[in-house]
Amino acid sequence: MGGCGPRRQYWGPVVRVLVVQAAWAVVGGQVRYSVPEEAKAGTVVGRLAQDLGLEAGEAEARRLRLVSQGRRASVEVSGASGALVVSSRLDREELCGKSAPCALRLEVLVERPLRVFHVELEVTDINDNAPLFPAARKNLSISENSPAGSRFPLEGASDADIGSNAQLSYTLSPSEHFALDLQKAEEDGESIFLVLRKPLDREAVPVHRLVVTASDGGRPCLTGTMELLVISVLDANDNAPQFNQSVYKVQVPESAAEGTLVVRVNATDLDEDLNKEFSYSIISSVPVDNGDIFTIDPKTGEIRLTGALDFEDVRLHELQIEARDKGTPPLSGHCSVELEVLDVNDNAPEVRVTSLSVPVPEDAAVGTVVAVLSVSDRDSGANGRVRCAVWPASPFGLVATFAGSYSLVLREALDRERVSEYEVEVRAEDGGAPPLFGRLGLRVSVSDVNDNAPSFAQAVYTVLVRENNAAGAELAWLWARDPDEAGNGRVRYSVWEGAGGGWRSASSYVSVEAESGRLWALQALDYEEVQVLEFEVRAVDAGEPALCGNATVQLFVVDENDNAPAVLAVAGGGAGPGSSVEAGSGALLWAWAAWGAPAGQVVAKIRAVDADSGYNAWLRYELWEPRGKGPFRVGLYSGEVSTARALEEADGPRQRLVIVVRDHGEPARSATATLSVSLVEGGEAAAAAGSSRAGAVSGLGPGAGAEGVSALATTNVWLGVAICAVSSVFVLAGVLYGASRWSPRAGVLSGPGPATLVCASEVGSWSYSQRQSRSVCVAEGAGKSDLMVFSPNLPPAPPGPAAKETQPEAPALLDT
């Protein structure tokens, strides 16, 4: 039967590692290595980094590493060298059992960019397991009348190794009565029989002690023994039970419930009486540890399930059935039952995450790998074929890379401001009927990039501010929205006037708080200095690169009544040398009037201006002194001083008038002017008027006018002629003046600055600001007392020289 033969002892290292194959097979992108079992920890299996095409030092930089597949691989990647080394004990029998070849499928990841490689590691067998019999001792009872050639089945030994290391041979201790016979069975199995070579003689040898030795085919070979005790009994029970089949083959689905009938075996015994009665029993099973999932009825021979079958664990069960009669000695017959387990779809697909790269930037390109997934199904055939899909279908998709390996990739562009996080479900469906499903939920968050510029709620903000405001006063609050998060959405504000600047620097008047957007006044604003400020407020976020948004601010200064009227001094008359009159001070003016002048004759005209605008610059004139019914009156809005009645000598040679000029502001401001009117004869009045005009031209004062009066008194003839001429001109001028006064007219003055329209119902003189121009319409149509001011939303005038003020030419101070 063979044996080990002479054995060589190999001393040296306990395990000598031979790398049988380390080939970089570019078939399906796999690397295959081979390593013997029981290799020492630290043994180099192969140069993984080099075989994957990585440069020196690149393995550690790109984080070359193994991904666990659910069971211990006993190998690892050396971080420094990138070599695949043994990390713990490798036991082929523990990892793969009797399966050959024993191939471990490993997944290797490298980053930057993310790639997956499949490594197949074959663990080769060494002869580290000796043959093992199910029992160390077995007793057989053989009738002495058993003929030569009788065969008795024995339980063979098993070897956990594979290949030649598991090929067993048997030897029997020397005996003249017995021998061993091996028969090849199906599925590469062997059946051992003890053969009776010659009849037994109980009287000569009542007990036979034999030893069966099993040897494997390894180098050196290993052995196992079983002691047989054969007892010969002088009994006539010479017929053993015989089965109608030597081998029963059945198929049972793995979903069969406990108690299911597997098969019924049948045996017969030709003996009579007690020797004919027999019982059935299961004497052995393959695999050995699965015998407790079957039971046999001793009387009927029905084999039923007492446990669950699992196609994924054991696909074929082999039972040795014995029928033993009740004779003395008892005889037995044997048969085998081969039970094939049929696969059913009882395992749902499993989805595992191999690698997950989150969060995903919202500007990630289409095709970016978000996760690497591994999908498996323990079933076989159509039941083990798996289809995968991702839900919702967008913006992610699945791409198959290898068998059972998928990549979750980006199919559409992301927008964190629209969706900041996705709940993704990977669904796996097998091909069974009905199909089973596996699910895996992933939470993919989207990280922010600076892709949104700050945006103001309005493109143009209009702000009204009263002049003389306090420095540091809050003028407005601007706010810009940035939907980005963290620094990308944090906004800072600043006043921006453009690269070219302007003829007015807004930053000298206002500032904006960088964090809140509050607009503050740096100094008090003066309407007479500036009426409109137009500038831009820029909002800049803190992203990289920074984005910005702009808003235009039009700041209109609202006039306050902070300027009192000022009485104008006219050359040739007024307050004396220098003729400068400050606003609010009493101005001294003088004029002449002739005795006998009729009522309504204009004696003088008071002129005043107010630096304010609108109602604040609308002036009215009042006669303060003398009170009561005096000989003179003042036009309320024209400022014309005229006779209230005919002048008489009783009125005296001189009248002193105190005139108050008030504006319409709240509160009203005023200035006073003192007008001294000299009452003279008609000729003297005309001479004084001429002298006044001459003095105005030559620069002479009032004294020079008095001397002219005495000189002209001697030339009365020429004076008469002059009076006639002047009277004619006066009549003509009166007609033209009346026609123009009673017809609607409009005067338009234009210049830089925002135009302001002022309409009044009162006929008379008008005043205007010296620092700006406006359109003034004076009509004597409807008697309205309202003053309407319209300030259109216009940008300020371009820089340039201020327009010269256009003032009406001052008439002679004394009109007679």
Side-chain angles (χ1 to χ4, degrees):
M1 297 296 173
C4 291
R7 300 181 180 177
R8 288 187 176 180
Q9 300 294 334
Y10 294 88
W11 304 104
V14 177
V15 177
R16 179 172 298 170
V17 178
L18 298 175
V19 178
V20 179
Q21 177 184 4
W24 170 221
V26 193
V27 180
Q30 288 189 348
V31 180
R32 294 183 175 87
Y33 296 106
S34 178
V35 61
E37 66 174 330
E38 304 297 339
K40 290 184 177 180
T43 301
V44 177
V45 177
R47 303 177 185 175
L48 180 58
Q50 181 177 347
D51 294 337
L52 294 179
L54 301 179
E55 300 293 337
E58 195 175 2
E60 188 171 8
R62 295 183 61 183
R63 295 188 62 194
L64 177 66
R65 65 186 186 277
L66 289 179
V67 179
S68 174
Q69 291 295 313
R71 60 180 180 180
R72 183 171 56 88
S74 300
V75 292
E76 63 183 9
V77 177
S78 175
S81 64
L84 187 64
V85 298
V86 177
S87 61
S88 60
R89 177 175 176 266
L90 282 169
D91 188 350
R92 192 204 65 78
E93 289 73 23
E94 179 183 350
L95 294 173
C96 301
K98 298 291 288 185
S99 300
C102 180
L104 302 181
R105 187 179 179 187
L106 309 175
E107 286 186 356
V108 180
L109 290 182
V110 292
E111 298 181 354
R112 299 189 294 274
L114 181 65
R115 292 190 62 190
V116 181
F117 298 91
H118 290 269
V119 176
E120 187 172 283
L121 177 63
E122 180 181 358
V123 181
T124 60
D125 185 49
I126 65 172
N127 192 24
D128 59 340
N129 291 281
L132 181 65
F133 285 93
R137 184 183 180 91
K138 185 172 181 64
N139 295 327
L140 292 177
S141 297
I142 302 176
S143 177
E144 65 175 349
N145 59 358
S146 297
S150 296
R151 303 167 65 84
F152 305 94
L154 300 178
E155 294 182 72
S158 61
D159 196 323
D161 297 323
I162 61 173
S164 61
N165 296 330
Q167 292 179 359
L168 304 180
S169 60
Y170 298 87
T171 59
L172 187 63
S173 59
S175 173
E176 61 178 340
H177 293 89
F178 297 96
L180 289 179
D181 183 25
L182 270 68
Q183 288 187 354
K184 294 290 184 181
E186 293 183 6
E187 301 296 331
D188 296 331
E190 290 183 338
S191 297
I192 308 173
F193 294 89
L194 184 65
V195 181
L196 185 61
R197 297 171 62 182
K198 57 184 296 188
L200 298 174
D201 186 359
R202 181 182 176 278
E203 288 71 16
V205 181
V207 177
H208 294 264
R209 296 185 181 275
L210 303 175
V211 176
V212 179
T213 302
S215 304
D216 60 23
R219 291 291 183 270
C221 68
L222 302 177
T223 62
T225 60
M226 179 178 67
E227 182 180 356
L228 288 173
L229 178 60
V230 181
I231 302 175
S232 297
V233 179
L234 298 174
D235 186 56
N237 186 23
D238 55 353
N239 290 289
Q242 296 293 323
F243 287 92
N244 58 357
Q245 291 179 234
S246 61
V247 177
Y248 293 84
K249 293 185 177 181
V250 294
Q251 292 179 333
V252 180
E254 63 173 327
S255 59
E258 293 185 12
T260 301
L261 177 62
V262 176
V263 69
R264 175 182 289 179
V265 296
N266 186 32
T268 59
D269 195 322
L270 298 178
D271 292 327
E272 297 293 337
D273 299 330
L274 192 61
N275 293 330
K276 187 178 182 179
E277 296 180 7
F278 59 88
S279 62
Y280 299 97
S281 63
I282 300 174
I283 60 175
S284 67
S285 66
V286 178
V288 178
D289 54 351
N290 286 340
D292 57 349
I293 65 175
F294 301 98
T295 184
I296 187 170
D297 190 303
K299 293 182 179 181
T300 63
E302 291 182 349
I303 301 176
R304 296 183 180 273
L305 290 176
T306 58
L309 299 176
D310 192 347
F311 174 85
E312 288 71 37
D313 289 340
V314 180
R315 302 186 180 187
L316 181 66
H317 295 267
E318 184 175 352
L319 305 177
Q320 292 294 330
I321 309 300
E322 180 184 68
R324 182 183 293 269
D325 62 23
K326 297 181 180 180
T328 303
L331 298 180
S332 60
H334 302 83
C335 73
S336 64
V337 177
E338 294 181 358
L339 186 148
E340 180 183 359
V341 181
L342 300 180
D343 184 40
V344 296
N345 192 25
D346 59 342
N347 290 281
E350 296 181 359
V351 184
R352 299 187 303 273
V353 178
T354 302
S355 178
L356 181 62
S357 299
V358 291
V360 181
E362 63 176 319
D363 61 348
V366 174
T368 300
V369 177
V370 178
V372 178
L373 308 174
S374 177
V375 181
S376 60
D377 193 319
R378 296 183 61 196
D379 294 322
S380 62
N383 297 331
R385 287 194 292 269
V386 181
R387 295 175 298 174
C388 290
V390 64
W391 184 90
S394 60
F396 302 100
L398 286 178
V399 176
T401 54
F402 297 97
S405 181
Y406 294 85
S407 294
L408 183 66
V409 299
L410 192 61
R411 289 287 176 84
E412 298 177 4
L414 300 176
D415 187 359
R416 190 204 64 83
E417 288 70 39
R418 185 172 60 89
V419 181
S420 61
E421 188 175 76
Y422 291 89
E423 293 288 345
V424 181
E425 184 178 79
V426 180
R427 299 176 177 178
E429 176 185 359
D430 61 23
L436 298 180
F437 301 90
R439 291 177 174 84
L440 176 67
L442 296 175
R443 178 172 293 176
V444 180
S445 57
V446 182
S447 61
D448 184 51
V449 297
N450 192 26
D451 58 345
N452 290 281
S455 175
F456 287 92
Q458 299 175 222
V460 178
Y461 289 86
T462 301
V463 180
L464 301 179
V465 181
R466 293 186 178 276
E467 68 171 329
N468 303 320
N469 59 290
E474 181 178 345
L475 306 180
W477 189 0
L478 310 181
W479 180 74
R481 178 180 179 271
D482 193 325
D484 294 324
E485 66 177 358
N488 296 332
R490 189 168 57 251
V491 178
R492 294 182 64 85
Y493 302 88
S494 61
V495 175
W496 187 71
E497 297 176 295
W503 65 288
R504 285 187 183 130
S505 177
S507 59
S508 62
Y509 293 97
V510 296
S511 69
V512 64
E513 189 173 320
E515 298 296 335
S516 65
R518 295 178 185 270
L519 190 66
W520 305 95
L522 295 178
Q523 60 180 0
L525 298 175
D526 188 355
Y527 177 84
E528 288 71 39
E529 178 183 351
V530 57
Q531 293 81 45
V532 179
L533 280 178
E534 182 172 306
F535 54 91
E536 286 189 353
V537 173
R538 170 170 289 185
V540 182
D541 60 29
E544 288 293 340
L547 301 178
C548 65
N550 297 328
T552 301
V553 178
Q554 292 181 341
L555 190 149
F556 292 89
V557 182
V558 179
D559 184 43
E560 290 285 332
N561 190 27
D562 57 345
N563 291 281
V567 179
L568 297 179
V570 182
S579 65
S580 63
V581 179
E582 295 183 0
S585 63
L588 180 60
L589 305 176
W590 49 273
W592 292 269
W595 283 324
Q601 182 174 351
V602 177
V603 176
K605 187 169 187 176
I606 306 300
R607 300 182 182 275
V609 295
D610 194 316
D612 296 321
S613 64
Y615 272 101
N616 298 329
W618 188 22
L619 304 180
R620 66 178 183 270
Y621 302 86
E622 300 175 2
L623 183 60
W624 187 256
E625 292 180 4
R627 296 179 179 272
K629 295 182 179 181
F632 297 97
R633 63 184 176 186
V634 178
L636 180 62
Y637 296 105
S638 64
E640 293 179 344
V641 180
S642 60
T643 57
R645 55 177 172 78
L647 298 179
E648 301 174 353
E649 292 185 3
D651 293 326
R654 186 181 301 272
Q655 290 284 332
R656 179 177 175 273
L657 307 179
V658 178
I659 299 171
V660 177
V661 184
R662 301 181 187 275
D663 58 27
H664 284 74
E666 290 293 339
R669 293 179 177 271
S670 62
T672 60
T674 301
L675 177 63
S676 178
V677 181
S678 299
L679 302 180
V680 295
E681 295 291 340
E684 293 179 358
S691 175
S692 175
R693 294 187 182 95
V697 175
S698 61
L700 298 177
E707 294 176 359
V709 172
S710 60
L712 289 176
T714 59
T715 56
N716 292 330
V717 177
W718 295 107
L719 180 58
V721 175
I723 289 174
C724 292
V726 171
S727 299
S728 301
V729 174
F730 179 76
V731 170
L732 180 61
V735 172
L736 294 178
Y737 178 76
S740 62
R741 177 64 62 88
W742 292 100
S743 63
R745 57 177 177 150
V748 179
L749 301 174
S750 61
T756 302
L757 180 62
V758 180
C759 297
S761 61
E762 183 69 26
V763 179
S765 66
W766 48 272
S767 60
Y768 57 94
S769 171
Q770 295 179 349
R771 291 182 175 83
Q772 68 169 350
S773 61
R774 59 180 61 84
S775 298
V776 180
C777 299
V778 181
E780 54 183 352
K784 297 181 180 179
S785 61
D786 294 336
L787 179 65
M788 294 172 288
V789 180
F790 304 94
S791 296
N793 188 6
L794 297 175
K804 293 182 179 180
E805 296 180 354
T806 305
Q807 301 183 9
E809 180 181 357
L813 191 59
L814 177 63
D815 295 329
T816 56

